[in-house]
Amino acid sequence: NSTARKITWLLKDSPVFHLAFSALSIIGSNIMKITARIVPATIKGILLPSFVCTLSDSVPNTGSRKIANTLSSAMTAPVICTGQDRLLCYDAGGNYLTVLDKSGSAVFSQTPEQTIFDADLSSGGYSAMLTAGDSGRSLLQVYDPNGSLLYKRSTKSHYLSACAVSPDGSHAAAVALGQADITFSASLQLYRTDSEEIAAECALGSEIPYDIAFVTDSVVCAVSEDRVRFFAADGTESGAYVAENGRIADYHFGGDGFVTVLVDPYETSSRAELITLQPDGSVLAQLSLSFMPVSLSACGSYVGILTAEKALLYTSALEPVAQTEQDGTAVCILARSDGTALLAGTGTASLFLP
């Protein structure tokens, strides 16, 4: 099958993923989340051509390893995201979702009758699935780590475009799209998974988030075209960062206690500002770059960026750690919590050890 792609799970010191795809990033020493640009937005997961997904721990040119497990499922637009020791894969616009544990075994799967819009997996193993509703416009469901339904909410007056679940599963969030008078409007809805009522709703106006994620059990982050906003579970805005005279070209939620953003000041793609933000919206560190990276990743206390010529690693304070030359084979970087990084390209990957 010429459209087939292989997803590989290395079972060595700590599992990592090798992918023959164009954009990936790691959340944790053994966890990975893939991202892809939908101009001008970035989304959770990666949207790829139709393929059959195979999970194993056998990597080309690295010797024979024991196969962990193989899962084959034809998907039109596969999206992958991960939690601490789980992988969630779903077919965006399709009807299939599955969660795998670190051995490659399926924890649970869902085949909803309605189209899947979005899904999320927390570091605590809780998952959220957003679909079209049977009798409403959208349906949000949250599952516990065993796959049992924990929370369910149907909307009839507006659409939900993105969802997130907190690490401990106590809260969920969704972006709601609606209309105020004759003007299009968006809001961030926050829910407690032990209550049927909306815990809080935060008006976003015409601002539509690219993505949302919980950065702690009770703080959710929303990234849009020119700003990053942080909201507490009660709906209070705890802070915000605004990219003045520019746009947010890329971002990553994988850092431990910080969010990483890449700002294109003038949309020239020839220079950028690399910024790490704390959960109150304040700038932890900022670094001016004379180039626009092709890949960005954050994990633990490290940030990695990749250009066509080199890979660079920084601390969360954006202090240089190490760099290495590359010949353009790698198209994405995966920072790891131990200060190393995986450089991946089509059909190949190498580990950068500073």
Side-chain angles (χ1 to χ4, degrees), residues 4-209:
R5 300 290 188 272
K6 178 172 284 188
I7 300 176
T8 307
W9 200 331
L10 300 176
L11 298 178
K12 196 176 179 183
D13 297 334
S14 60
V16 295
F17 285 92
H18 162 81
L19 296 105
F21 303 146
S22 63
L24 3 116
S25 52
I26 278 190
I27 306 177
S29 61
N30 57 354
I31 299 307
M32 179 273 308
K33 177 180 179 179
I34 312 171
T35 59
R37 185 76 50 78
I38 295 184
V39 179
T42 305
I43 62 167
K44 288 177 290 190
I46 185 167
L47 298 181
L48 305 167
S50 175
F51 74 107
V52 176
C53 167
T54 302
L55 175 67
S56 74
D57 72 340
S58 178
V59 182
N61 305 320
T62 61
S64 176
R65 288 188 172 90
K66 180 181 178 182
I67 294 176
N69 203 348
T70 299
L71 174 70
S72 296
S73 179
M75 301 183 212
T76 302
V79 183
I80 295 175
C81 56
T82 62
Q84 189 59 34
D85 59 359
R86 301 279 179 92
L87 178 147
L88 182 151
C89 182
Y90 70 97
D91 192 7
N95 307 89
Y96 180 73
L97 176 149
T98 188
V99 174
L100 309 178
D101 63 19
K102 62 183 180 181
S103 71
S105 300
V107 178
F108 73 95
S109 300
Q110 294 289 333
T111 54
E113 294 182 0
Q114 302 298 323
T115 299
I116 300 175
F117 295 149
D118 191 26
D120 187 38
L121 182 67
S122 78
S123 60
Y126 292 85
S127 56
M129 180 175 67
L130 181 61
T131 67
D134 293 324
S135 57
R137 296 189 175 185
S138 302
L139 176 65
L140 174 65
Q141 298 176 86
V142 177
Y143 298 90
D144 69 15
N146 296 319
S148 299
L149 184 63
L150 180 66
Y151 179 80
K152 182 177 180 179
R153 182 172 190 84
S154 178
T155 65
K156 300 182 183 301
S157 60
H158 48 260
Y159 293 98
L160 302 180
S161 63
C163 66
V165 60
S166 66
D168 64 358
S170 63
H171 293 83
V175 175
L177 306 178
Q179 184 175 325
D181 297 326
I182 59 172
T183 305
F184 171 82
S185 65
S187 66
L188 178 67
Q189 293 187 350
L190 298 165
Y191 320 103
R192 286 193 59 88
T193 54
D194 60 358
S195 173
E196 295 183 359
E197 302 299 322
I198 297 177
E201 185 163 11
C202 313
L204 302 175
S206 59
E207 173 189 334
I208 303 176

